[in-house]
Amino acid sequence: MKIWNIVIILGFGATMLLAGCASENQSAHRSQAILDMKRATDHHSYSKPDEAVVTHLHWDAVVDFDTRIIAATATYDIRTASDAKRILFDAVDLDISEVRVDGQETPWEVGPDQPFIGQPLSIPVTKDSKQVSISYSSSPDAGALLWVEGEQPFLFTQSQAILARTWIPCQDSPGVRFTYSAEVEVPKGTMALMSATNPTEQSPDSRYSFKMDQPIPSYLLALAVGNVEFRSVGAHTGVYAVPELIDAAEYEFGEMEQLLVAAESLYGPYAWERYDLLVLPPAFPFGGMENPRLTFATPTIIAGDRSLVALVAHELAHSWSGNLVTNSTWDDFWLNEGFTVYFEQRIMEAVYGSEISEMLATLSYQGLVDEVDEIMDTNPDDTHLKLHLQNRNPDDGMTAIAYDKGCFFLRLLEQTVGRDKFDAFLKTYFETNAFSVMDTERFIVYLKANLLQDKAQLEAVNLDAWIYGAGLPANCPEVRSARIERVDATLSGWESGTIATADLPWNDWVYQERYRFLSNINDATSADRMAELDATWQMTSTGNNEVLFAWLEQAVRSTYTPAYERLESFLVNIGRRKFLTPLYRGLVETDQKPLADAIYAKARPNYHSVATGTMDELLRTPE
Ligand code: BES
Ligand code: ZN
């Protein structure tokens, strides 16, 4: 057995990286390297970019559905320090067959496995090494991948936060950026798509070439393979979906170009040339994922009436907050998500008006208050904007804190300095830090220097309370939506019996109002009253999955069993974790665990590892 030695590089200075840089390209890398020097340590990666760092990936891969294996060679251009001895990659269950450094076969070492973060792959290099290539196969159980079987085989990846290492050996840290190119061979009758330049038609030889010329972090590496078609919806925008959904997708996302135009007029030019959206199978564990040039999205946002496009605004906003200016480590996740929720609401306001965006903000506020209460009971430190994810799964940081507390913090900044000044600040922030990383501490310095120069304003904001403090600070901005207030009044009327079910203005309500009503029904509401709603508004057959979800959650809490058939088909067919968690939890909390277990036994094979990870934990039988 090999003994794994971790070499600690001490006193490694920026000057060492400067040696030998000549071309313009290299000097761009050099300024990046200097920036990286200030980078906070990423507890979720073994890579030591200060010693040796990747700058470009060429990925040559064959995708095999029968064995559920991707066989590939990852060839990296690298940059090394003058005393570099090795380059470290992250890897999980990769079966490595050969490693070459500048064409020469080289021995490699794989260190011990650690929970969540996997294994370090160490390859000896010197200061003169230029290229490393790794031939390997991914495991059939690779955490990022979901292989969907059946008549329509489909494969997709989900790399964020630290799953890229399950399908490509990489320096899997958000602070390491690289450009990439790829050649991918897939089965006949399928198209391959990546977070890169994409085809719009199937290739007769089943081989596809990709290029991503803007440097990205590894968590934005993405691949999808399936029988999809493309439709253009604007000059720079389009949709991909399976033939059965392509018409619906074309209509649903028909306003994408307007969203893009609105985003650019808020915070500056779009850096990624095209913005397309791929509709994934319903097993996709998230609503959306901001893979550059190609957002991955759940089909559950196809409602037929464009009512759920805020999610597209969100993923599009990440093209600035996240993809351009990237959280340095997962502890700084709010810099990605809080900025993005704020930006999403601004895009929604610009395109659909403030009535809609303020309803969204009000729903976001309610979600935040509920989740803060919940987390404060168990782990108050998890309500800090700056997270503490060392030795934990970075997924734990995916709560309303990063998203909504982050957004409300930015709203407070806007309110404090005024919208014009705040917009100018954000625009410059994205421009100045483009293709680079930001951590919370550097952001505070930047904020003080460029926005909160006024002492009184700085004190009024109370950065410490927001960023390092628990709960929701007292100066959290208030949101008001007259329409949501009317819904609340209607709900109390319905609950107290002054408003009859038949008189509810359901048909006048848009999705946000319906969702507000359903998600606030008292848990003690009887099954009879649920039946009344169902009979009047045919809840169980709504085509809006957000509304259906809110209805089913209430049905579970009221033990309204006529909805259980629909509940089961929903849970078996849809793998979006945001829906699964409250539904299974609702069953557990209302003494219906055997039903939860029975449904989960059927559904589990359809879910992605991100979802099974959470549900296994939730449904684990306590010892
Ligand atoms: N980047 C996230 C998804 C993500 C975060 C995946 C962390 C893995 C780890 C994406 O932009 C997102 O926030 N999706 C939300 C949508 C939204 C409108 C808040 C989702 O999927 O629910
Ligand atoms: Zn997001």
Side-chain angles (χ1 to χ4, degrees), residues 26-56:
Q26 280 170 315
S27 96
H29 289 321
R30 184 173 64 204
S31 47
Q32 178 64 40
I34 293 168
L35 249 182
D36 289 354
M37 287 293 122
K38 298 179 212 142
R39 177 174 47 205
T41 322
D42 178 2
H43 303 298
H44 294 104
S45 173
Y46 290 106
S47 63
K48 298 243 182 276
D50 294 348
E51 182 175 7
V53 68
V54 302
T55 59
H56 179 81

PDB file of all heavy atoms in Angstrom, residues 26-56:
ATOM      1  N   GLN A  26      -0.260  34.879 -21.757  1.00  0.00           N
ATOM      2  CA  GLN A  26       0.343  34.508 -20.479  1.00  0.00           C
ATOM      3  C   GLN A  26       0.251  35.644 -19.467  1.00  0.00           C
ATOM      4  O   GLN A  26       0.107  35.412 -18.285  1.00  0.00           O
ATOM      5  CB  GLN A  26       1.802  34.100 -20.679  1.00  0.00           C
ATOM      6  CG  GLN A  26       1.920  32.670 -21.190  1.00  0.00           C
ATOM      7  CD  GLN A  26       3.322  32.356 -21.611  1.00  0.00           C
ATOM      8  OE1 GLN A  26       3.967  33.142 -22.289  1.00  0.00           O
ATOM      9  NE2 GLN A  26       3.803  31.199 -21.206  1.00  0.00           N
ATOM     10  N   SER A  27       0.344  36.868 -19.990  1.00  0.00           N
ATOM     11  CA  SER A  27       0.288  37.961 -19.015  1.00  0.00           C
ATOM     12  C   SER A  27      -1.121  38.109 -18.445  1.00  0.00           C
ATOM     13  O   SER A  27      -1.303  38.523 -17.307  1.00  0.00           O
ATOM     14  CB  SER A  27       0.843  39.255 -19.604  1.00  0.00           C
ATOM     15  OG  SER A  27      -0.184  40.058 -20.088  1.00  0.00           O
ATOM     16  N   ALA A  28      -2.127  37.732 -19.250  1.00  0.00           N
ATOM     17  CA  ALA A  28      -3.493  37.698 -18.708  1.00  0.00           C
ATOM     18  C   ALA A  28      -3.570  36.648 -17.607  1.00  0.00           C
ATOM     19  O   ALA A  28      -4.124  36.876 -16.541  1.00  0.00           O
ATOM     20  CB  ALA A  28      -4.489  37.360 -19.810  1.00  0.00           C
ATOM     21  N   HIS A  29      -2.946  35.500 -17.891  1.00  0.00           N
ATOM     22  CA  HIS A  29      -2.909  34.454 -16.870  1.00  0.00           C
ATOM     23  C   HIS A  29      -2.184  34.937 -15.628  1.00  0.00           C
ATOM     24  O   HIS A  29      -2.537  34.610 -14.520  1.00  0.00           O
ATOM     25  CB  HIS A  29      -2.181  33.212 -17.389  1.00  0.00           C
ATOM     26  CG  HIS A  29      -2.978  32.476 -18.419  1.00  0.00           C
ATOM     27  ND1 HIS A  29      -4.324  32.318 -18.319  1.00  0.00           N
ATOM     28  CD2 HIS A  29      -2.599  31.831 -19.548  1.00  0.00           C
ATOM     29  CE1 HIS A  29      -4.754  31.619 -19.356  1.00  0.00           C
ATOM     30  NE2 HIS A  29      -3.731  31.322 -20.114  1.00  0.00           N
ATOM     31  N   ARG A  30      -1.140  35.725 -15.867  1.00  0.00           N
ATOM     32  CA  ARG A  30      -0.330  36.178 -14.747  1.00  0.00           C
ATOM     33  C   ARG A  30      -1.138  37.051 -13.797  1.00  0.00           C
ATOM     34  O   ARG A  30      -1.103  36.880 -12.594  1.00  0.00           O
ATOM     35  CB  ARG A  30       0.875  36.946 -15.288  1.00  0.00           C
ATOM     36  CG  ARG A  30       1.841  37.372 -14.216  1.00  0.00           C
ATOM     37  CD  ARG A  30       3.079  37.966 -14.841  1.00  0.00           C
ATOM     38  NE  ARG A  30       2.775  39.188 -15.568  1.00  0.00           N
ATOM     39  CZ  ARG A  30       3.513  39.671 -16.562  1.00  0.00           C
ATOM     40  NH1 ARG A  30       4.551  39.033 -16.997  1.00  0.00           N
ATOM     41  NH2 ARG A  30       3.175  40.799 -17.161  1.00  0.00           N
ATOM     42  N   SER A  31      -1.918  37.978 -14.376  1.00  0.00           N
ATOM     43  CA  SER A  31      -2.697  38.829 -13.471  1.00  0.00           C
ATOM     44  C   SER A  31      -3.731  37.985 -12.737  1.00  0.00           C
ATOM     45  O   SER A  31      -4.050  38.228 -11.584  1.00  0.00           O
ATOM     46  CB  SER A  31      -3.345  39.987 -14.215  1.00  0.00           C
ATOM     47  OG  SER A  31      -3.951  39.505 -15.381  1.00  0.00           O
ATOM     48  N   GLN A  32      -4.240  36.970 -13.441  1.00  0.00           N
ATOM     49  CA  GLN A  32      -5.157  36.052 -12.772  1.00  0.00           C
ATOM     50  C   GLN A  32      -4.434  35.355 -11.616  1.00  0.00           C
ATOM     51  O   GLN A  32      -4.960  35.238 -10.518  1.00  0.00           O
ATOM     52  CB  GLN A  32      -5.655  34.999 -13.783  1.00  0.00           C
ATOM     53  CG  GLN A  32      -6.576  33.956 -13.193  1.00  0.00           C
ATOM     54  CD  GLN A  32      -7.886  34.561 -12.689  1.00  0.00           C
ATOM     55  OE1 GLN A  32      -8.450  35.435 -13.322  1.00  0.00           O
ATOM     56  NE2 GLN A  32      -8.321  34.136 -11.526  1.00  0.00           N
ATOM     57  N   ALA A  33      -3.193  34.940 -11.882  1.00  0.00           N
ATOM     58  CA  ALA A  33      -2.432  34.225 -10.850  1.00  0.00           C
ATOM     59  C   ALA A  33      -2.217  35.102  -9.627  1.00  0.00           C
ATOM     60  O   ALA A  33      -2.354  34.638  -8.495  1.00  0.00           O
ATOM     61  CB  ALA A  33      -1.084  33.784 -11.425  1.00  0.00           C
ATOM     62  N   ILE A  34      -1.937  36.370  -9.861  1.00  0.00           N
ATOM     63  CA  ILE A  34      -1.718  37.260  -8.721  1.00  0.00           C
ATOM     64  C   ILE A  34      -2.999  37.383  -7.901  1.00  0.00           C
ATOM     65  O   ILE A  34      -2.985  37.324  -6.680  1.00  0.00           O
ATOM     66  CB  ILE A  34      -1.224  38.650  -9.203  1.00  0.00           C
ATOM     67  CG1 ILE A  34       0.168  38.490  -9.809  1.00  0.00           C
ATOM     68  CG2 ILE A  34      -1.189  39.640  -8.041  1.00  0.00           C
ATOM     69  CD1 ILE A  34       0.651  39.696 -10.568  1.00  0.00           C
ATOM     70  N   LEU A  35      -4.093  37.504  -8.659  1.00  0.00           N
ATOM     71  CA  LEU A  35      -5.388  37.559  -7.975  1.00  0.00           C
ATOM     72  C   LEU A  35      -5.612  36.308  -7.135  1.00  0.00           C
ATOM     73  O   LEU A  35      -6.048  36.354  -6.004  1.00  0.00           O
ATOM     74  CB  LEU A  35      -6.487  37.591  -9.036  1.00  0.00           C
ATOM     75  CG  LEU A  35      -7.271  38.871  -9.181  1.00  0.00           C
ATOM     76  CD1 LEU A  35      -8.335  38.675 -10.237  1.00  0.00           C
ATOM     77  CD2 LEU A  35      -7.891  39.284  -7.864  1.00  0.00           C
ATOM     78  N   ASP A  36      -5.289  35.180  -7.772  1.00  0.00           N
ATOM     79  CA  ASP A  36      -5.519  33.904  -7.099  1.00  0.00           C
ATOM     80  C   ASP A  36      -4.725  33.768  -5.810  1.00  0.00           C
ATOM     81  O   ASP A  36      -5.108  33.034  -4.916  1.00  0.00           O
ATOM     82  CB  ASP A  36      -5.164  32.738  -8.036  1.00  0.00           C
ATOM     83  CG  ASP A  36      -6.169  32.612  -9.157  1.00  0.00           C
ATOM     84  OD1 ASP A  36      -7.181  33.341  -9.136  1.00  0.00           O
ATOM     85  OD2 ASP A  36      -5.944  31.811 -10.050  1.00  0.00           O
ATOM     86  N   MET A  37      -3.613  34.480  -5.739  1.00  0.00           N
ATOM     87  CA  MET A  37      -2.797  34.436  -4.529  1.00  0.00           C
ATOM     88  C   MET A  37      -3.623  34.795  -3.300  1.00  0.00           C
ATOM     89  O   MET A  37      -3.408  34.300  -2.225  1.00  0.00           O
ATOM     90  CB  MET A  37      -1.653  35.443  -4.620  1.00  0.00           C
ATOM     91  CG  MET A  37      -0.574  35.051  -5.568  1.00  0.00           C
ATOM     92  SD  MET A  37       0.291  33.610  -4.994  1.00  0.00           S
ATOM     93  CE  MET A  37       0.037  32.504  -6.347  1.00  0.00           C
ATOM     94  N   LYS A  38      -4.580  35.716  -3.526  1.00  0.00           N
ATOM     95  CA  LYS A  38      -5.360  36.201  -2.392  1.00  0.00           C
ATOM     96  C   LYS A  38      -6.530  35.278  -2.090  1.00  0.00           C
ATOM     97  O   LYS A  38      -7.316  35.522  -1.201  1.00  0.00           O
ATOM     98  CB  LYS A  38      -5.902  37.599  -2.697  1.00  0.00           C
ATOM     99  CG  LYS A  38      -4.830  38.626  -2.915  1.00  0.00           C
ATOM    100  CD  LYS A  38      -5.492  39.973  -3.225  1.00  0.00           C
ATOM    101  CE  LYS A  38      -4.628  40.782  -4.181  1.00  0.00           C
ATOM    102  NZ  LYS A  38      -5.428  41.516  -5.146  1.00  0.00           N
ATOM    103  N   ARG A  39      -6.623  34.243  -2.901  1.00  0.00           N
ATOM    104  CA  ARG A  39      -7.782  33.373  -2.792  1.00  0.00           C
ATOM    105  C   ARG A  39      -7.806  32.625  -1.466  1.00  0.00           C
ATOM    106  O   ARG A  39      -6.813  32.117  -0.981  1.00  0.00           O
ATOM    107  CB  ARG A  39      -7.705  32.394  -3.962  1.00  0.00           C
ATOM    108  CG  ARG A  39      -8.761  31.361  -4.006  1.00  0.00           C
ATOM    109  CD  ARG A  39      -8.622  30.582  -5.297  1.00  0.00           C
ATOM    110  NE  ARG A  39      -7.248  30.179  -5.556  1.00  0.00           N
ATOM    111  CZ  ARG A  39      -6.781  29.925  -6.776  1.00  0.00           C
ATOM    112  NH1 ARG A  39      -7.542  30.076  -7.825  1.00  0.00           N
ATOM    113  NH2 ARG A  39      -5.541  29.525  -6.942  1.00  0.00           N
ATOM    114  N   ALA A  40      -8.993  32.565  -0.892  1.00  0.00           N
ATOM    115  CA  ALA A  40      -9.165  31.820   0.352  1.00  0.00           C
ATOM    116  C   ALA A  40      -9.002  30.325   0.073  1.00  0.00           C
ATOM    117  O   ALA A  40      -9.239  29.868  -1.039  1.00  0.00           O
ATOM    118  CB  ALA A  40     -10.548  32.105   0.901  1.00  0.00           C
ATOM    119  N   THR A  41      -8.598  29.575   1.095  1.00  0.00           N
ATOM    120  CA  THR A  41      -8.447  28.133   0.919  1.00  0.00           C
ATOM    121  C   THR A  41      -9.813  27.493   0.681  1.00  0.00           C
ATOM    122  O   THR A  41     -10.768  27.796   1.392  1.00  0.00           O
ATOM    123  CB  THR A  41      -7.873  27.496   2.200  1.00  0.00           C
ATOM    124  OG1 THR A  41      -6.921  28.393   2.735  1.00  0.00           O
ATOM    125  CG2 THR A  41      -7.265  26.145   1.928  1.00  0.00           C
ATOM    126  N   ASP A  42      -9.848  26.600  -0.282  1.00  0.00           N
ATOM    127  CA  ASP A  42     -11.086  25.884  -0.557  1.00  0.00           C
ATOM    128  C   ASP A  42     -11.013  24.517   0.118  1.00  0.00           C
ATOM    129  O   ASP A  42     -10.251  23.652  -0.302  1.00  0.00           O
ATOM    130  CB  ASP A  42     -11.257  25.743  -2.076  1.00  0.00           C
ATOM    131  CG  ASP A  42     -12.513  24.968  -2.437  1.00  0.00           C
ATOM    132  OD1 ASP A  42     -13.269  24.575  -1.517  1.00  0.00           O
ATOM    133  OD2 ASP A  42     -12.740  24.760  -3.646  1.00  0.00           O
ATOM    134  N   HIS A  43     -11.801  24.338   1.166  1.00  0.00           N
ATOM    135  CA  HIS A  43     -11.762  23.092   1.926  1.00  0.00           C
ATOM    136  C   HIS A  43     -12.330  21.912   1.146  1.00  0.00           C
ATOM    137  O   HIS A  43     -12.224  20.779   1.587  1.00  0.00           O
ATOM    138  CB  HIS A  43     -12.568  23.232   3.220  1.00  0.00           C
ATOM    139  CG  HIS A  43     -12.101  24.358   4.076  1.00  0.00           C
ATOM    140  ND1 HIS A  43     -10.825  24.393   4.599  1.00  0.00           N
ATOM    141  CD2 HIS A  43     -12.706  25.498   4.479  1.00  0.00           C
ATOM    142  CE1 HIS A  43     -10.690  25.509   5.295  1.00  0.00           C
ATOM    143  NE2 HIS A  43     -11.809  26.193   5.235  1.00  0.00           N
ATOM    144  N   HIS A  44     -12.952  22.207   0.018  1.00  0.00           N
ATOM    145  CA  HIS A  44     -13.597  21.124  -0.724  1.00  0.00           C
ATOM    146  C   HIS A  44     -12.812  20.669  -1.942  1.00  0.00           C
ATOM    147  O   HIS A  44     -13.365  20.003  -2.811  1.00  0.00           O
ATOM    148  CB  HIS A  44     -15.016  21.544  -1.119  1.00  0.00           C
ATOM    149  CG  HIS A  44     -15.917  21.719   0.071  1.00  0.00           C
ATOM    150  ND1 HIS A  44     -16.268  22.955   0.559  1.00  0.00           N
ATOM    151  CD2 HIS A  44     -16.498  20.802   0.883  1.00  0.00           C
ATOM    152  CE1 HIS A  44     -17.053  22.795   1.616  1.00  0.00           C
ATOM    153  NE2 HIS A  44     -17.200  21.509   1.847  1.00  0.00           N
ATOM    154  N   SER A  45     -11.536  21.060  -2.016  1.00  0.00           N
ATOM    155  CA  SER A  45     -10.726  20.594  -3.137  1.00  0.00           C
ATOM    156  C   SER A  45      -9.318  20.254  -2.668  1.00  0.00           C
ATOM    157  O   SER A  45      -8.766  20.931  -1.806  1.00  0.00           O
ATOM    158  CB  SER A  45     -10.641  21.676  -4.217  1.00  0.00           C
ATOM    159  OG  SER A  45      -9.736  21.289  -5.228  1.00  0.00           O
ATOM    160  N   TYR A  46      -8.750  19.198  -3.263  1.00  0.00           N
ATOM    161  CA  TYR A  46      -7.357  18.834  -2.962  1.00  0.00           C
ATOM    162  C   TYR A  46      -6.373  19.665  -3.782  1.00  0.00           C
ATOM    163  O   TYR A  46      -5.173  19.637  -3.514  1.00  0.00           O
ATOM    164  CB  TYR A  46      -7.111  17.369  -3.304  1.00  0.00           C
ATOM    165  CG  TYR A  46      -7.799  16.377  -2.408  1.00  0.00           C
ATOM    166  CD1 TYR A  46      -8.914  15.670  -2.855  1.00  0.00           C
ATOM    167  CD2 TYR A  46      -7.322  16.109  -1.121  1.00  0.00           C
ATOM    168  CE1 TYR A  46      -9.540  14.732  -2.043  1.00  0.00           C
ATOM    169  CE2 TYR A  46      -7.947  15.178  -0.309  1.00  0.00           C
ATOM    170  CZ  TYR A  46      -9.052  14.487  -0.772  1.00  0.00           C
ATOM    171  OH  TYR A  46      -9.665  13.569   0.031  1.00  0.00           O
ATOM    172  N   SER A  47      -6.874  20.329  -4.815  1.00  0.00           N
ATOM    173  CA  SER A  47      -5.948  20.990  -5.730  1.00  0.00           C
ATOM    174  C   SER A  47      -5.163  22.083  -5.009  1.00  0.00           C
ATOM    175  O   SER A  47      -5.635  22.689  -4.050  1.00  0.00           O
ATOM    176  CB  SER A  47      -6.719  21.584  -6.910  1.00  0.00           C
ATOM    177  OG  SER A  47      -7.612  22.580  -6.459  1.00  0.00           O
ATOM    178  N   LYS A  48      -3.945  22.295  -5.481  1.00  0.00           N
ATOM    179  CA  LYS A  48      -3.094  23.368  -4.948  1.00  0.00           C
ATOM    180  C   LYS A  48      -2.690  24.231  -6.142  1.00  0.00           C
ATOM    181  O   LYS A  48      -1.584  24.123  -6.674  1.00  0.00           O
ATOM    182  CB  LYS A  48      -1.831  22.769  -4.302  1.00  0.00           C
ATOM    183  CG  LYS A  48      -2.114  21.869  -3.114  1.00  0.00           C
ATOM    184  CD  LYS A  48      -1.515  22.449  -1.850  1.00  0.00           C
ATOM    185  CE  LYS A  48      -1.743  21.535  -0.669  1.00  0.00           C
ATOM    186  NZ  LYS A  48      -3.085  21.765  -0.071  1.00  0.00           N
ATOM    187  N   PRO A  49      -3.623  25.087  -6.574  1.00  0.00           N
ATOM    188  CA  PRO A  49      -3.383  25.859  -7.799  1.00  0.00           C
ATOM    189  C   PRO A  49      -2.150  26.741  -7.724  1.00  0.00           C
ATOM    190  O   PRO A  49      -1.598  27.109  -8.757  1.00  0.00           O
ATOM    191  CB  PRO A  49      -4.662  26.681  -7.968  1.00  0.00           C
ATOM    192  CG  PRO A  49      -5.451  26.518  -6.717  1.00  0.00           C
ATOM    193  CD  PRO A  49      -4.959  25.315  -6.012  1.00  0.00           C
ATOM    194  N   ASP A  50      -1.692  27.059  -6.519  1.00  0.00           N
ATOM    195  CA  ASP A  50      -0.485  27.874  -6.416  1.00  0.00           C
ATOM    196  C   ASP A  50       0.754  27.100  -6.836  1.00  0.00           C
ATOM    197  O   ASP A  50       1.780  27.683  -7.177  1.00  0.00           O
ATOM    198  CB  ASP A  50      -0.292  28.365  -4.973  1.00  0.00           C
ATOM    199  CG  ASP A  50      -1.388  29.334  -4.558  1.00  0.00           C
ATOM    200  OD1 ASP A  50      -2.141  29.782  -5.457  1.00  0.00           O
ATOM    201  OD2 ASP A  50      -1.499  29.625  -3.362  1.00  0.00           O
ATOM    202  N   GLU A  51       0.679  25.796  -6.785  1.00  0.00           N
ATOM    203  CA  GLU A  51       1.827  24.981  -7.197  1.00  0.00           C
ATOM    204  C   GLU A  51       1.740  24.638  -8.690  1.00  0.00           C
ATOM    205  O   GLU A  51       2.717  24.779  -9.429  1.00  0.00           O
ATOM    206  CB  GLU A  51       1.891  23.687  -6.369  1.00  0.00           C
ATOM    207  CG  GLU A  51       3.104  22.826  -6.715  1.00  0.00           C
ATOM    208  CD  GLU A  51       3.256  21.594  -5.828  1.00  0.00           C
ATOM    209  OE1 GLU A  51       2.344  21.324  -5.016  1.00  0.00           O
ATOM    210  OE2 GLU A  51       4.287  20.909  -5.961  1.00  0.00           O
ATOM    211  N   ALA A  52       0.573  24.186  -9.100  1.00  0.00           N
ATOM    212  CA  ALA A  52       0.376  23.860 -10.517  1.00  0.00           C
ATOM    213  C   ALA A  52      -1.111  23.964 -10.798  1.00  0.00           C
ATOM    214  O   ALA A  52      -1.922  23.412 -10.066  1.00  0.00           O
ATOM    215  CB  ALA A  52       0.886  22.456 -10.806  1.00  0.00           C
ATOM    216  N   VAL A  53      -1.432  24.674 -11.880  1.00  0.00           N
ATOM    217  CA  VAL A  53      -2.839  24.962 -12.146  1.00  0.00           C
ATOM    218  C   VAL A  53      -3.168  24.705 -13.615  1.00  0.00           C
ATOM    219  O   VAL A  53      -2.324  24.888 -14.485  1.00  0.00           O
ATOM    220  CB  VAL A  53      -3.156  26.423 -11.720  1.00  0.00           C
ATOM    221  CG1 VAL A  53      -2.453  27.433 -12.614  1.00  0.00           C
ATOM    222  CG2 VAL A  53      -4.653  26.682 -11.672  1.00  0.00           C
ATOM    223  N   VAL A  54      -4.383  24.255 -13.867  1.00  0.00           N
ATOM    224  CA  VAL A  54      -4.793  24.000 -15.245  1.00  0.00           C
ATOM    225  C   VAL A  54      -5.241  25.312 -15.897  1.00  0.00           C
ATOM    226  O   VAL A  54      -5.779  26.191 -15.236  1.00  0.00           O
ATOM    227  CB  VAL A  54      -5.939  22.970 -15.306  1.00  0.00           C
ATOM    228  CG1 VAL A  54      -5.523  21.663 -14.640  1.00  0.00           C
ATOM    229  CG2 VAL A  54      -7.216  23.518 -14.658  1.00  0.00           C
ATOM    230  N   THR A  55      -5.011  25.411 -17.226  1.00  0.00           N
ATOM    231  CA  THR A  55      -5.476  26.611 -17.941  1.00  0.00           C
ATOM    232  C   THR A  55      -6.418  26.254 -19.088  1.00  0.00           C
ATOM    233  O   THR A  55      -7.210  27.080 -19.535  1.00  0.00           O
ATOM    234  CB  THR A  55      -4.297  27.419 -18.509  1.00  0.00           C
ATOM    235  OG1 THR A  55      -3.549  26.574 -19.397  1.00  0.00           O
ATOM    236  CG2 THR A  55      -3.391  27.926 -17.392  1.00  0.00           C
ATOM    237  N   HIS A  56      -6.304  25.025 -19.593  1.00  0.00           N
ATOM    238  CA  HIS A  56      -7.195  24.599 -20.683  1.00  0.00           C
ATOM    239  C   HIS A  56      -7.389  23.091 -20.596  1.00  0.00           C
ATOM    240  O   HIS A  56      -6.465  22.352 -20.260  1.00  0.00           O
ATOM    241  CB  HIS A  56      -6.593  24.970 -22.047  1.00  0.00           C
ATOM    242  CG  HIS A  56      -7.445  24.530 -23.208  1.00  0.00           C
ATOM    243  ND1 HIS A  56      -8.544  25.248 -23.633  1.00  0.00           N
ATOM    244  CD2 HIS A  56      -7.387  23.432 -24.009  1.00  0.00           C
ATOM    245  CE1 HIS A  56      -9.117  24.608 -24.655  1.00  0.00           C
ATOM    246  NE2 HIS A  56      -8.434  23.509 -24.897  1.00  0.00           N
TER     247      HIS A  56
END
